[in-house]
Amino acid sequence: MANNGQTRMERRQHRKNNIKQKNSVWKKILKLLILAVLLIGIGVGALFSYYIASAPDLDATLLSDPASTEILDINEEVFATLGAEKRTKIDNNDIPEVLRNAIIATEDARFYDHIGIDFRRIGAAVIANFRDGFGSQGASTITQQVVKGSFLSNDKNLKRKVQEQWLALKLDRNYSKEEILEMYVNKIYYGAGAYGVATAAEVYFGKEDLDNLTLAEAAILAGLPQRPTAYDPFVDPELTDERKNTVLDLMVHHNKISQDQAEEAKNISVSSLIVKKKTDFVRYEGFIQQVRKEVMEKTGADIYKDSLKVYTTLDPDAQERVEFLLSNREDNPIDYSSDEEMQVGVTVLDTQTGAIRAIGGGRNRENDGWNYAIDGNGRQPGSTMKPIVAYGPAIEHLQWSTYHQLNDDKPYPIGGTSKVIENWNQSYQGWMTARYALKKSLNVPAVKTLEEVGYSKAKKFAEGLGISFADDQITIGDAIGGTATGVTPLQMAGAYAAFGNEGMYHEPYSVLRIEYPDNRTEELQSEPVVAMSDYTAYMITDMLKSVVSSSGTGARANVNGLPLVGKTGTTNVEGKDGSPDSWFTGYTTNYTVSVWTGYDQDQKIINNTKTALDIFRETIQDISTDEETNDFVQPDSVVEVSVEKGSNPAKRPSEYTPNSEIITELFVKGTEPDQVSEKFDQLEPVQNLEAEYNEDNEEIVVEWEHEEEDIQFDVSAGTNGSLNHLTTTDKRIVEISNVEKGETYTIEVIAINENQESEPVSTTIEIQEEEERELPAVEQLHQTFDPVNRSALVSWSYSENGPIEFNVEIEEAGSTVDQLTTNKTSVNLTQLQPNTTYTIHVTPTLKNEDIQGPSSTIQLSTEGLENSEGDNTDEGDQEEQQNDPQQDGEQQNDDDDETEDTEENNPVEQQIEDTVE
């Protein structure tokens, strides 16, 4: 038991020691915490002391004048001083009670009670900042707003807040509340270019005396400084009305007015209070609007409310050109006569840096009106999206060539609907290259490309070029820019500039740097980001060159001698003909220009969709004058390859491919084709080609040989170097009829099959003219004279064969007295006259042909021949003899017989030697 008791005591002592040790640890932790708090307090105090020590001094001149911002161009020359013109200063006594109450209730309800800063508001802001993040809620008093607008930037950081509160305390100590309120109403920006409440009252309500302001008007003015552009009653009277009602509720809450007064004022519409807005010309206002938006987004400062010195990227020459092209001047080369109310948005960028050189915000715009180049969500981009959503991603991710084959076969059905996507020209041409599809801006190949590359990859690619999609969703229609996704010319210019800058994307920027009143400088230039491979950028650029070629859709935008590229884009409205939007975006190595044309009303149709191309051409040509513009340089990652047209997949041409069937396209290095096409490979030529003339059939017979069986032959023939196709046959022989004699014929034969043909083989044949037949003269021509019967037998011999006839001509004293034709070799001449000399010609002829031989001649003389009794027939006998030819014939026959007898029995011959004429 003793041992057990001792054990209990030991345990009690052990527990006491543990408690002491725990108490000691907590004491140490508490000491450390106290020390940390002290150190933090000292550090914070030191930091705050540094911030306070580095705060600017209160400058009475800056406090008394409205904020004035200088804006400088690319040459660092001031082109605008904001706040220097529209200002009307008033005294505290000029502020009517209704306006004073509205301002105090809205901006700083305890203005007359705090010491420049409101600790209750600071506490609420601290809680909100811990809950929602630093800068989520402000606690600025009117005094602090005066300080910030006069001396500090709009940064939401600790240093600026500490300095702001310190200067607010000093301001409150050095100036009365009335003086501070006077500074506030004179300095603050109220929108529409109006600085100070007096100017705002005149601009919005046409009232120079503030005492004439109504409760509703005072509420409007008090609500504007929070968001002067958004609450501008000229721009959005409905939103202004909401803000007015909020101010009225605050005035009721702080017992400045009654609920009845508030309700009465709420029932007055803003539109009924404001006057017609004056159209004031503000130089380069479209660009200034972008500067303001950019400065606000990047720094929180307001160029109309803060005193800044802003160095911009503006090229005054480019800006002047753009504003001129959007004007109504008579010497403007752009014709707006068919669309007089057309609006235009133009953005000009530096292709290499993304710097904005000029902005055309619109035509016939009101002061600080809607800027069609930069404001809102933009408009449907149409086919200008095709390089961004379809072909660019395809080259980037699938390494397509510019030759890649796409089947433009029919309208493309949209999945899950009964709708289809059609080509703009309602025409479908089958297989074609990606280059041709983009050149002709065809829709079906573009949507097929998006489907193949994949939606997620295409979306990421486009977002890398600054494009945001409606509802963060990409659909098939985005390939042709026909969805709820809209773009501005600023966004489109930024995206296209990346193609011209080797794939490097710069977010477009208008501000180089800002100098604040505290002499602090902030750089605002965007940094380059790799958006795509250099091969994608170059190949898209090269494809876009085809768009501005003479046969492309953008030919009108081209400038001779200037290496530029670009893309057209139009949209359509279902159920209507025509386009409500027309785009052209293009670039050189120096500049990128994006132009939108259309109307305020989304659905109104444009009469002239070519205006956008004209504005682009006139802009790029002018700003490129007297400036060297280099062509785009092909990177090492791209190779140029000759391809046989129509091969699918791409094949290199063979040595037999005709030049007309060879095109040059671009490939990502390592993906170029190595297979050679066999389409035009040649067959073996024909052999033993021979041609003979068949005289009997008067035709040429052509024969040849060839080693292959299943083959055909193209046969052509002609004379004088001209060949005409005669036939295509699978035989080895042809007959050519209707040939002309005396011609030399060339016959050509080419062996062919479905895809190939041989070298031509030819032969010639001369078809001889028929030689004119020559007949010889008759031979042994002689005559035998019979004086008794006054007749003579003329005979001859002839050896030539054929249908020969003889012409016998009898002349007397040089005149023909008789002529006859016979196929015999003798004739008997009767009734010869005495004392007469006859010349007899005998000429052989070829019957039915105009061919005759030489004539042979013999003479016959009847000199000394006397009239005998047998010859003394009276005239009646002679007439009877003449009228009885049959008797004559019988007599002649008798005479012939008698003559023959005479020749044999008692011939009286006069042999005369033949003569030949």
Side-chain angles (χ1 to χ4, degrees):
M1 291 182 66
N3 290 337
N4 291 338
Q6 188 177 5
T7 301
R8 286 197 297 270
M9 290 179 66
E10 289 176 351
R11 288 199 297 270
R12 292 192 190 101
Q13 187 63 40
H14 183 68
R15 283 196 296 271
K16 290 180 180 179
N17 292 336
N18 286 339
I19 292 172
K20 289 180 180 180
Q21 290 177 358
K22 290 180 179 179
N23 290 336
S24 177
V25 170
W26 280 110
K27 288 179 181 179
K28 290 180 180 179
I29 292 173
L30 182 60
K31 289 179 180 179
L32 290 174
L33 287 174
I34 293 172
L35 180 61
V37 170
L38 289 174
L39 290 175
I40 291 173
I42 293 171
V44 170
L47 181 63
F48 279 24
S49 297
Y50 167 74
Y51 287 161
I52 291 171
S54 60
D57 297 328
L58 293 179
D59 188 332
T61 57
L62 295 177
L63 288 169
S64 61
D65 292 331
S68 177
T69 294
E70 289 186 337
I71 304 182
L72 297 82
D73 61 25
I74 195 174
N75 303 313
E76 297 193 357
E77 295 182 358
V78 176
F79 68 87
T81 302
L82 307 181
E85 296 178 0
K86 285 189 177 180
R87 60 175 70 183
T88 301
K89 293 182 66 174
I90 60 172
D91 297 327
N92 180 65
N93 295 331
D94 297 324
I95 305 174
E97 192 66 22
V98 66
L99 179 59
R100 188 187 306 271
N101 289 337
I103 294 172
I104 297 300
T106 304
E107 293 294 333
D108 191 356
R110 284 177 293 278
F111 174 67
Y112 291 104
D113 300 326
H114 59 62
I115 58 173
I117 59 176
D118 189 341
F119 291 104
R120 288 173 59 182
R121 292 182 70 177
I122 291 174
V126 168
I127 294 173
N129 289 335
F130 272 113
R131 183 179 64 245
D132 302 323
F134 183 77
S136 61
Q137 178 175 318
S140 295
T141 62
I142 288 176
T143 312
Q144 287 175 264
Q145 291 183 55
V146 171
V147 167
K148 180 168 71 70
S150 301
F151 307 112
L152 302 174
S153 70
N154 208 39
D155 292 341
K156 290 185 177 181
N157 56 42
L158 184 61
K159 178 181 178 181
R160 199 269 292 168
K161 294 301 295 183
V162 171
Q163 291 180 338
E164 177 186 301
Q165 291 175 3
W166 169 251
L167 292 175
L169 292 172
K170 289 180 65 176
L171 184 65
D172 194 75
R173 287 198 303 267
N174 295 332
Y175 294 89
S176 68
K177 295 292 185 181
E178 288 72 18
E179 290 175 317
I180 294 173
L181 184 60
E182 179 184 313
M183 296 173 190
Y184 174 82
V185 297
N186 282 322
K187 179 177 289 291
I188 210 72
Y189 180 63
Y190 284 85
Y195 292 86
V197 71
T199 305
E202 183 178 357
V203 168
Y204 293 123
F205 311 121
K207 296 184 176 181
E208 298 182 4
D209 188 347
L210 297 182
D211 288 331
N212 294 328
L213 290 175
T214 65
L215 173 59
E217 291 168 343
I220 292 173
L221 292 175
L224 286 173
Q226 185 184 70
R227 297 174 63 196
T229 301
Y231 294 139
D232 186 339
F234 292 132
V235 177
D236 194 342
E238 292 183 1
L239 188 60
T240 308
D241 198 64
E242 293 178 11
R243 179 61 176 165
K244 176 199 73 175
N245 294 341
T246 299
V247 173
L248 292 171
D249 289 338
L250 288 171
M251 293 180 73
V252 172
H253 178 73
H254 293 294
N255 299 317
K256 302 297 183 182
I257 59 174
S258 67
Q259 187 65 49
D260 291 340
Q261 289 175 305
E263 292 301 324
E264 182 181 356
K266 287 181 180 181
N267 290 330
I268 302 174
S269 68
V270 171
S271 299
S272 66
L273 297 175
I274 59 176
V275 297
K276 183 177 180 181
K277 186 175 183 181
K278 296 179 181 179
T279 304
D280 295 330
F281 173 76
V282 178
R283 191 183 186 202
Y284 307 161
E285 184 186 45
F287 189 90
I288 293 173
Q289 287 176 309
Q290 171 61 23
V291 171
R292 184 187 188 191
K293 178 184 291 188
E294 195 173 314
V295 170
M296 182 74 73
E297 290 175 352
K298 293 182 178 181
T299 70
D302 190 330
I303 61 175
Y304 286 102
K305 297 168 67 176
D306 303 314
S307 297
L308 308 171
K309 192 171 186 178
V310 183
Y311 294 85
T312 74
T313 60
L314 178 92
D315 181 341
D317 293 334
Q319 185 68 35
E320 288 282 356
R321 182 62 177 177
V322 169
E323 293 191 357
F324 166 65
L325 294 175
L326 270 58
S327 72
N328 291 324
R329 286 176 49 175
E330 292 184 359
D331 55 343
N332 185 354
I334 307 301
D335 182 9
Y336 294 106
S337 60
S338 60
D339 292 283
E340 292 183 354
E341 301 301 320
M342 172 189 282
Q343 278 300 341
V344 180
V346 181
T347 298
V348 180
L349 299 184
D350 184 307
T351 301
Q352 304 301 316
T353 66
I356 302 172
R357 297 304 183 205
I359 287 179
R363 299 181 61 241
N364 305 318
R365 300 171 63 236
E366 293 183 342
N367 182 22
D368 202 29
W370 187 264
N371 191 318
Y372 293 93
I374 64 173
D375 283 343
N377 296 324
R379 301 292 278 267
Q380 280 190 344
S383 293
T384 54
M385 284 291 270
K386 289 173 181 174
I388 298 171
V389 175
Y391 299 108
I395 295 174
E396 179 71 12
H397 295 289
L398 304 180
Q399 295 189 328
W400 279 10
S401 69
T402 58
Y403 177 81
H404 185 84
Q405 294 291 295
L406 294 162
N407 192 8
D408 177 37
D409 54 349
K410 60 184 178 181
Y412 185 87
I414 301 176
T417 73
S418 60
K419 297 181 178 180
V420 296
I421 293 175
E422 300 177 317
N423 288 335
W424 61 268
N425 57 5
Q426 304 294 309
S427 175
Y428 305 91
Q429 304 175 49
W431 289 99
M432 60 182 57
T433 65
R435 177 191 296 278
Y436 181 85
L438 184 59
K439 171 185 176 179
K440 293 298 185 181
S441 198
L442 301 176
N443 293 334
V444 171
V447 296
K448 286 186 175 183
T449 299
L450 173 56
E451 285 281 7
E452 190 164 347
V453 75
Y455 290 92
S456 60
K457 290 180 179 178
K459 181 173 181 286
K460 185 176 180 180
F461 183 90
E463 288 174 340
L465 296 175
I467 305 298
S468 300
F469 293 91
D471 301 323
D472 199 33
Q473 296 292 323
I474 183 173
T475 65
I476 190 66
D478 284 307
I480 58 175
T483 68
T485 296
V487 295
T488 64
L490 180 65
Q491 290 174 300
M492 192 58 73
Y496 269 66
F499 291 121
N501 190 31
E502 300 178 355
M504 302 300 294
Y505 172 73
H506 285 267
E507 180 183 0
Y509 63 95
S510 63
V511 180
L512 295 168
R513 64 184 184 277
I514 297 175
E515 291 182 4
Y516 294 99
D518 59 1
N519 296 322
R520 182 169 53 88
T521 300
E522 185 173 3
E523 299 287 335
L524 298 185
Q525 302 176 50
S526 65
E527 295 297 325
V529 178
V530 178
M532 69 191 85
S533 303
D534 59 356
Y535 59 75
T536 302
Y538 182 77
M539 290 167 70
I540 287 292
T541 296
D542 197 68
M543 291 167 72
L544 291 177
K545 280 187 177 181
S546 300
V547 174
V548 297
S549 67
S550 59
S551 57
T553 58
R556 187 174 179 135
N558 201 10
V559 178
N560 290 333
L562 188 65
L564 65 84
V565 306
K567 184 70 187 76
T568 54
T570 56
T571 62
N572 63 282
V573 179
E574 189 171 355
K576 290 185 180 181
D577 294 331
S579 302
D581 305 281
S582 178
W583 291 80
F584 191 85
T585 303
Y587 53 92
T588 66
T589 51
N590 295 334
Y591 297 105
T592 300
V593 180
S594 182
V595 182
W596 167 86
T597 59
Y599 286 92
D600 284 330
Q601 303 90 343
D602 289 349
Q603 306 300 309
K604 187 172 181 180
I605 300 302
I606 300 171
N607 293 318
N608 182 8
T609 59
K610 302 301 182 184
T611 302
L613 286 75
D614 294 340
I615 294 174
F616 171 87
R617 182 190 64 250
E618 295 297 327
T619 300
I620 200 76
Q621 184 175 23
D622 184 81
I623 63 180
S624 300
T625 302
D626 299 327
E627 185 170 343
E628 183 178 358
T629 301
N630 296 321
D631 202 351
F632 302 93
V633 178
Q634 180 175 316
D636 294 336
S637 57
V638 176
V639 291
E640 193 173 66
V641 178
S642 294
V643 179
E644 185 174 280
K645 190 186 301 182
S647 58
N648 188 13
K651 294 180 181 179
R652 292 179 181 268
S654 69
E655 60 179 309
Y656 305 108
T657 303
N659 290 334
S660 61
E661 297 298 316
I662 300 175
I663 56 176
T664 301
E665 295 290 355
L666 301 179
F667 291 78
V668 178
K669 190 174 184 178
T671 68
E672 59 270 27
D674 52 13
Q675 188 174 0
V676 178
S677 173
E678 298 178 355
K679 179 179 179 180
F680 296 99
D681 281 5
Q682 293 185 337
L683 297 169
E684 288 296 323
V686 300
Q687 297 175 347
N688 301 324
L689 177 64
E690 295 180 352
E692 292 184 356
Y693 180 65
N694 186 323
E695 292 186 1
D696 293 337
N697 296 330
E698 294 187 345
E699 63 183 14
I700 301 173
V701 179
V702 185
E703 294 183 278
W704 62 88
E705 297 176 355
H706 198 278
E707 60 186 14
E708 296 189 27
E709 294 297 328
D710 297 329
I711 202 166
Q712 290 186 311
F713 304 93
D714 276 341
V715 181
S716 302
T719 61
N720 300 320
S722 176
L723 295 180
N724 297 313
H725 182 262
L726 299 181
T727 185
T728 299
T729 179
D730 55 2
K731 299 178 180 178
R732 269 73 168 170
I733 183 172
V734 294
E735 293 85 22
I736 304 173
S737 58
N738 298 323
V739 297
E740 295 183 12
K741 297 178 181 179
E743 295 285 352
T744 299
Y745 282 83
T746 299
I747 297 100
E748 182 182 87
V749 181
I750 300 174
I752 61 171
N753 61 18
E754 185 176 355
N755 298 315
Q756 299 173 324
E757 64 179 39
S758 71
E759 289 283 349
V761 176
S762 62
T763 186
T764 60
I765 182 171
E766 183 178 359
I767 309 301
Q768 297 289 338
E769 289 187 0
E770 288 187 357
E771 295 183 1
E772 192 170 312
R773 188 171 179 181
E774 295 183 1
L775 298 178
V778 300
E779 298 177 346
Q780 299 178 4
L781 177 63
H782 69 278
Q783 54 89 4
T784 303
F785 177 58
D786 181 0
V788 176
N789 295 312
R790 288 190 300 171
S791 65
L793 178 65
V794 180
S795 63
W796 60 87
S797 64
Y798 202 73
S799 61
E800 193 74 17
N801 296 322
I804 303 297
E805 292 182 329
F806 303 96
N807 290 330
V808 180
E809 182 180 7
I810 303 168
E811 291 182 353
E812 179 184 344
S815 298
T816 300
V817 295
D818 200 0
Q819 188 173 357
L820 59 91
T821 301
T822 182
N823 57 4
K824 297 179 180 181
T825 56
S826 65
V827 294
N828 189 32
L829 306 180
T830 63
Q831 300 180 1
L832 299 175
Q833 299 297 318
N835 302 315
T836 303
T837 300
Y838 295 96
T839 302
I840 302 167
H841 304 282
V842 180
T843 304
T845 63
L846 191 62
K847 187 177 181 180
N848 299 326
E849 293 192 31
D850 189 20
I851 299 176
Q852 65 181 21
S855 296
S856 298
T857 303
I858 192 172
Q859 288 186 338
L860 170 63
S861 177
T862 61
E863 290 291 336
L865 179 65
E866 298 292 338
N867 289 332
S868 63
E869 294 180 359
D871 295 327
N872 293 335
T873 58
D874 58 24
E875 294 178 2
D877 292 338
Q878 293 179 7
E879 291 177 359
E880 183 179 353
Q881 188 175 7
Q882 292 173 0
N883 292 331
D884 190 353
Q886 183 176 359
Q887 182 178 350
D888 290 344
E890 292 175 354
Q891 178 67 43
Q892 182 170 340
N893 291 335
D894 293 339
D895 292 343
D896 289 344
D897 294 340
E898 186 176 346
T899 302
E900 291 175 6
D901 293 341
T902 303
E903 289 177 352
E904 293 176 2
N905 299 322
N906 188 22
V908 180
E909 282 191 343
Q910 182 178 2
Q911 186 72 37
I912 301 175
E913 186 175 349
D914 298 343
T915 61
V916 180
E917 291 181 347

